[in-house]
Amino acid sequence: GVDEGDLTFFTERMTLTKLRNYIAKQSKDGKAWRVNDAIKEYKDYLTMKEKVGCDMENSITMFPKNLHQAHNKAVIESKEAEAIKRKAEVNRVFKGIELRFKGADKVYHYEDGKYLIRPAMDAAEIVEEGRQLHHCVGGNDYLSSHAKKESIICFVRSMKAPDVPFVTVEINPDCTIEQWYGINDSKPKKKTVNKFLNEYIKTRDPKKVLREAKKKNL
């Protein structure tokens, strides 16, 4: 049931006997559909492990005791590796976000004792915010808009957990709110967050904010 391309993939890494014996253990009852699923999952697993630079000479890596569990773990590792690569890349491309952070923080930072709002420290932090909250703020459109000073990506955090993503806010240069979202594009604690953001806006003088932003090249 293995097509020619997959057969070549496996024979470049092991003998057919080892492949047959391993798949037989992982597919349990030996039914054709189980065998095919195990083969696909095994190829996917090996590809991910090679991609993140694992030692493929290690028999434990090559032939994990529980393929399904090892595959799921490899998916997580692969996503983490991709995230690290992505964050390094956006920090390089959108370096200006990091360079302007200190000035931006002085202009746009606000706390009320329960919550705080602050601009992103760098492009990688915006990507991580989107990754953890499962929304699109980490996309290049938002990063580019922030880098071009068309808008500012800010984070609302609890004062008790200032490093834990909660709500992401897109703010216009004059400090008016463009949009805000929490996890999965939801509106967590909507009344409370809206109240906090409204109070935040009241503390900002648009003309002064724009003047300060221009002065600090934000």
Side-chain angles (χ1 to χ4, degrees):
V2 185
D3 64 39
E4 186 175 350
D6 287 347
L7 190 62
T8 300
F9 174 89
F10 286 115
T11 54
E12 288 175 348
R13 293 161 175 81
M14 65 193 72
T15 66
L16 284 176
T17 299
K18 287 185 177 180
L19 174 63
R20 183 181 65 242
N21 292 341
Y22 182 69
I23 292 300
K25 290 179 180 178
Q26 298 302 319
S27 59
K28 296 178 181 178
D29 59 13
K31 290 183 178 179
W33 64 272
R34 287 189 184 277
V35 170
N36 288 334
D37 284 347
I39 288 172
K40 291 176 182 177
E41 192 167 54
Y42 190 34
K43 181 182 179 182
D44 195 33
Y45 163 80
L46 292 175
T47 300
M48 288 188 288
K49 298 300 281 188
E50 289 175 353
K51 189 174 181 180
V52 298
C54 289
D55 177 12
M56 303 311 290
E57 298 297 320
N58 186 313
S59 61
I60 295 176
T61 300
M62 283 294 293
F63 303 101
K65 186 175 181 180
N66 187 312
L67 174 60
H68 187 64
Q69 288 181 3
H71 175 271
N72 289 345
K73 184 177 179 181
V75 169
I76 295 172
E77 291 172 346
S78 180
K79 288 181 178 179
E80 290 291 338
E82 290 174 6
I84 291 171
K85 183 179 179 181
R86 164 73 174 161
K87 287 188 282 188
E89 175 66 12
V90 297
N91 266 352
R92 183 185 66 79
V93 175
F94 302 105
K95 183 68 175 178
I97 296 176
E98 180 181 5
L99 294 176
R100 298 198 307 272
F101 169 69
K102 288 185 178 180
D105 196 49
K106 291 180 180 179
V107 174
Y108 297 103
H109 191 117
Y110 172 74
E111 301 175 7
D112 74 349
K114 185 176 182 179
Y115 294 106
L116 66 83
I117 182 170
R118 66 166 176 82
M121 290 188 288
D122 55 28
E125 192 178 35
I126 297 175
V127 169
E128 184 63 20
E129 179 89 350
R131 195 170 79 93
Q132 291 198 36
L133 294 183
H134 307 292
H135 56 42
C136 59
V137 75
N140 281 358
D141 287 346
Y142 288 101
L143 294 171
S144 179
S145 181
H146 189 128
K148 292 177 181 177
K149 309 170 190 177
E150 297 170 350
S151 65
I152 302 95
I153 301 301
C154 291
F155 307 141
V156 173
R157 303 278 173 85
S158 166
M159 294 288 289
K160 293 181 179 179
D163 297 322
V164 178
F166 173 50
V167 162
T168 314
V169 187
E170 183 181 16
I171 295 177
N172 294 314
D174 63 356
C175 218
T176 53
I177 306 297
E178 182 66 25
Q179 58 180 331
W180 70 267
Y181 289 102
I183 191 167
N184 295 320
D185 292 323
S186 66
K187 297 279 188 177
K189 298 185 178 180
K190 187 174 182 180
K191 290 183 179 179
T192 301
V193 172
N194 274 331
K195 182 180 179 181
F196 170 75
L197 292 176
N198 287 334
E199 290 298 324
Y200 168 59
I201 293 171
K202 289 178 182 178
T203 68
R204 313 286 103 168
D205 181 329
K207 291 183 179 179
K208 183 178 179 181
V209 168
L210 287 172
R211 187 167 59 249
E212 286 294 306
K214 185 176 181 180
K215 181 180 178 181
K216 297 178 184 296
N217 191 30
L218 305 178

